[in-house]
Amino acid sequence: MSESTPSQSAAPSPSQTVSIPLNDHERMEKIVALTKRRGFIFQSSELYGGINGAWDYGPVGTLLKRNVKDAWWRAMVQDREDIVGLEAAILMHPMVWKASGHVDGFSDPMIDCRTCKKRFRADDLEGAVCGLKPSKHPGKEGRDACGGDLTEPRNFNLMFETALGPLSDTSAKCFLRPETAQGIFVNFANVVSSTRVKLPFGIAQIGKSFRNEINPRNFTFRSREFEQMEMEFFCVPGTDDEWFQKWVETRWQWYLQLGLKKDRLRLRPHDKLAHYSKATTDIEYLFPFGWGELEGVANRTDFDLRQHQRGVRSLAAWQKLENGDLASLPLADEEAEYHKGKLSYFDDEKKQRYIPFVIEPAAGADRATLAFLCDAYDEDGAPDAQGKVETRVVLRFHPRIAPVKAAVLPLLRKDGHPERAEKLYKDLRKRWMVEYDESAAIGKRYRRQDEIGTPLCITIDHQTLTDGTVTVRDRDSMTQQRIAEDQVARYMHETLGLL
RNA sequence: GCGGGAGUAAUUCAGUGGUAGAAUGCCAGCUUCCCAAGCUGGACGUCGCGGGUUCAAGUCCCGUCUCCCGCUCCA
């Protein structure tokens, strides 16, 4: 890199910038407004008044989310030799969800009380306690009834149903996947037989999932359509505890390395475990609206692979199912020799066949993207041309996830600056997402780039035309330095760590 | 699903039942040798949507949708 003397411009020094504290609610509203104003996130179908629990990513948000997913893929697949990728279909055989437990687990009818505002399971109304009168049972009639006004039982089925094929028919009912994980489990045998993977190894997948959330809330945090980054790590039974700890640590580090503030991250081990899980630890981020789960790391044991062996044995019964009611279908018992079944693994070293255990780090792509946005949002004071301190909005993204890596700006819109700048821009954009902007004053263009978190601004001025140097302005400190134009790519590579 | 608040330009917000407004942003041009400068011009609204009351509704009433907050829910 060519060293250069810092420019003697009017650029403020870092010590002049002071962060301005915001209360959480105000902060979240500003983030939501910024993401719309600058093209990160729009509400789905906004033109038609919006649709609950779905969001669209605009031009800048698409770049951000893509960078988040790329960073995950790079860390989980490209940089490792023990994990391979997969892209399973969203539509799967209905029996997948019977075997996984989703059909049964998601069909609990619920009853709300309009009087005491509590919610009860319909099948446990007798044992339930009224929210206002703890000695009484919810309801208007019967023994010890509290007199409350109850709603009819409602099914809270979290899976979206759809029909396979254009003709409506109960046997063609299928679901939009509520998690990508099952696509991995049902392809376990395919991956083992088509690649040279050996235990322990993982299968990673990024893709959309759908859940009929009862109450979408908190911007994109809880949506009905969302994207997951999931990996199922298959290991030898008995080594699962160790791998579980390793994955909690590995995934924790991933968020830190991409710049999330450590004091806004925490691990939360679960006390109450799901039926499939031996241990679960969530990685949570302190959003302006409170702590929220970014990722859950679970020890799923051998539950899923064993369940799918039972599922496959239940196919004949499914075909005879007349009402299409999967919940009423009993899943076939396990074979006595289940460990030698279809989804078992033959260990060449041990000369043994067994069902692997599975550690699952399951992250939300939209949640991670939102966390990076919230974490990056900052306001500081920057002096304007007259020296008066104005509020500056800046997204301090890690360069790896910043939507735009650099902006190329001609200082003036004449004297050959634009032509020279455009040449550099066209060169850089072959390698990175780079923007060109010649409109308005230079200060305004810097602030525009600050608002979408562009780490560097490269400015072409008169000196460029005489000695071939440009100024590089740093987003966070707003300081500038001069480097040779032909060293810009190298500079970006070295200072941003971009490849 | 319950309760509360809100919905007017891209954003933040004014708007007394009587012609739809401001600031910022955006676009074009001029100017400008580095931090939202200045000047000139411009585009942008079925006032979330649908009913009702009224001579007349952004404003009052009802319904609905969406967002935010608190509950609830989150195998």
Side-chain angles (χ1 to χ4, degrees):
Chain A
M1 185 194 338
S2 84
E3 217 14 88
S4 53
T5 49
S7 130
Q8 296 298 310
S9 71
S13 75
S15 60
Q16 284 174 276
T17 68
V18 181
S19 278
I20 298 162
L22 290 171
N23 76 47
D24 289 340
H25 187 249
E26 192 184 355
R27 183 181 173 84
M28 197 63 213
E29 298 212 318
K30 287 190 170 189
I31 290 167
V32 172
L34 174 67
T35 58
K36 183 174 184 194
R37 186 158 46 83
R38 287 299 183 193
F40 284 92
I41 298 171
F42 309 121
Q43 189 180 6
S44 169
S45 312
E46 191 195 26
L47 185 63
Y48 283 94
I51 183 170
N52 191 261
W55 301 88
D56 298 342
Y57 288 82
V60 184
T62 302
L63 293 169
L64 174 66
K65 187 178 169 187
R66 177 178 291 244
N67 290 342
V68 170
K69 290 190 287 181
D70 284 350
W72 186 89
W73 192 262
R74 186 188 286 240
M76 299 297 275
V77 180
Q78 189 175 320
D79 280 359
R80 302 182 62 108
E81 49 192 32
D82 57 353
I83 300 180
V84 295
L86 181 77
E87 192 167 318
I90 288 171
L91 300 175
M92 286 188 260
H93 195 290
M95 280 299 288
V96 169
W97 308 111
K98 175 65 188 180
S100 71
H102 286 82
V103 167
D104 302 336
F106 278 144
S107 57
D108 297 329
M110 305 292 283
I111 289 174
D112 286 292
C113 177
R114 296 189 185 96
T115 310
C116 73
K117 315 300 181 196
K118 292 273 283 182
R119 176 171 286 171
F120 310 98
R121 289 171 63 118
D123 60 357
D124 192 32
L125 207 55
E126 271 300 296
V129 171
C130 171
L132 295 174
K133 304 169 186 167
S135 63
K136 309 230 171 173
H137 295 296
K140 272 193 171 141
E141 292 163 17
R143 187 179 54 87
D144 291 334
C146 71
D149 183 14
L150 300 184
T151 63
E152 289 300 301
R154 277 184 301 262
N155 256 329
F156 284 76
N157 191 337
L158 262 61
M159 285 200 291
F160 279 89
E161 285 181 17
T162 188
L164 209 55
L167 298 174
S168 297
D169 180 279
T170 50
S171 68
K173 182 168 90 176
C174 75
F175 305 96
L176 304 186
R177 66 181 177 200
E179 63 176 22
T180 59
Q182 300 304 326
I184 294 177
F185 296 129
V186 301
N187 276 294
F188 171 73
N190 286 336
V191 172
V192 167
S193 66
S194 61
T195 65
R196 292 177 293 109
V197 291
K198 283 190 169 52
L199 243 52
F201 74 93
I203 302 176
Q205 170 164 232
I206 297 176
K208 286 283 183 80
S209 291
F210 304 83
R211 288 183 199 177
N212 252 321
E213 295 283 357
I214 292 165
N215 193 355
R217 203 42 93 76
N218 291 329
F219 200 30
T220 60
F221 182 80
R222 182 173 296 168
S223 303
R224 294 199 165 117
E225 175 177 343
F226 58 100
E227 195 153 18
Q228 291 185 298
M229 308 184 289
E230 290 196 299
M231 193 275 290
E232 307 300 327
F233 194 80
F234 301 92
C235 61
V236 181
T239 65
D240 49 303
D241 292 335
E242 189 187 330
W243 279 111
F244 175 77
Q245 289 305 328
K246 269 190 199 170
W247 277 112
V248 169
E249 173 63 19
T250 301
R251 295 303 307 150
W252 170 261
Q253 287 299 332
W254 184 80
Y255 292 100
L256 285 178
Q257 279 159 14
L258 284 176
L260 287 193
K261 294 176 189 73
K262 197 172 185 178
D263 59 2
R264 296 188 81 88
L265 278 172
R266 74 176 182 193
L267 292 177
R268 196 176 65 84
H270 285 211
D271 311 321
K272 215 175 76 182
L273 295 172
H275 61 277
Y276 56 75
S277 171
K278 179 178 165 187
T280 301
T281 292
D282 288 344
I283 299 173
E284 296 189 331
Y285 177 75
L286 185 54
F287 290 94
F289 48 78
W291 288 99
E293 178 190 346
L294 294 179
E295 173 156 357
V297 183
N299 182 342
R300 294 183 77 129
T301 70
D302 55 358
F303 176 83
D304 299 278
L305 294 179
R306 286 170 64 177
Q307 281 296 106
H308 285 302
Q309 290 192 155
R310 295 177 65 193
V312 172
R313 284 159 56 80
S314 312
L315 270 173
W318 173 76
Q319 281 164 347
K320 287 183 197 133
L321 201 62
E322 281 179 2
N323 54 6
D325 178 20
L326 278 169
S328 69
L329 176 75
L331 212 54
D333 289 336
E334 240 176 0
E335 286 174 285
E337 299 275 280
Y338 73 85
H339 63 281
K340 293 182 180 171
K342 207 161 187 164
L343 298 180
S344 66
Y345 173 82
F346 184 72
D347 190 323
D348 280 300
E349 281 180 29
K350 294 181 178 162
K351 306 294 178 202
Q352 267 179 17
R353 192 165 268 286
Y354 53 84
I355 309 273
F357 267 45
V358 179
I359 309 301
E360 174 195 81
D366 306 273
R367 288 181 173 191
T369 301
L370 182 60
F372 286 122
L373 264 170
C374 292
D375 210 62
Y377 185 90
D378 196 17
E379 293 181 8
D380 62 16
D384 66 10
Q386 282 74 46
K388 186 172 162 249
V389 174
E390 300 279 354
T391 300
R392 179 179 76 127
V393 173
V394 53
L395 295 180
R396 304 189 193 277
F397 288 127
H398 185 286
R400 172 64 51 77
I401 59 166
V404 178
K405 307 307 181 190
V408 181
L409 316 169
L411 183 59
L412 300 180
R413 215 168 166 180
K414 58 180 186 183
D415 300 342
H417 294 187
E419 293 77 3
R420 188 74 175 253
E422 229 170 315
K423 191 165 161 290
L424 178 60
Y425 160 68
K426 281 178 179 165
D427 185 42
L428 291 175
R429 77 179 183 189
K430 287 175 188 155
R431 293 177 63 181
W432 297 293
M433 192 67 210
V434 178
E435 275 193 359
Y436 174 80
D437 188 358
E438 60 173 30
S439 79
I442 189 71
K444 182 174 284 191
R445 283 177 273 161
Y446 285 151
R447 300 302 174 83
R448 271 185 199 142
Q449 295 300 329
D450 290 339
E451 281 201 338
I452 63 167
T454 305
L456 297 176
C457 287
I458 298 148
T459 303
I460 274 67
D461 57 15
H462 277 163
Q463 199 179 327
T464 311
L465 306 180
T466 57
D467 71 0
T469 61
V470 298
T471 65
V472 181
R473 180 257 195 191
D474 175 70
R475 175 195 66 200
D476 295 330
S477 65
M478 294 189 287
T479 54
Q480 288 174 286
Q481 60 176 288
R482 250 186 198 285
I483 66 171
E485 189 182 15
D486 59 10
Q487 294 296 312
V488 169
R490 190 167 157 193
Y491 181 88
M492 287 177 66
H493 171 90
E494 286 174 3
T495 60
L496 301 183
L498 300 174
L499 296 173

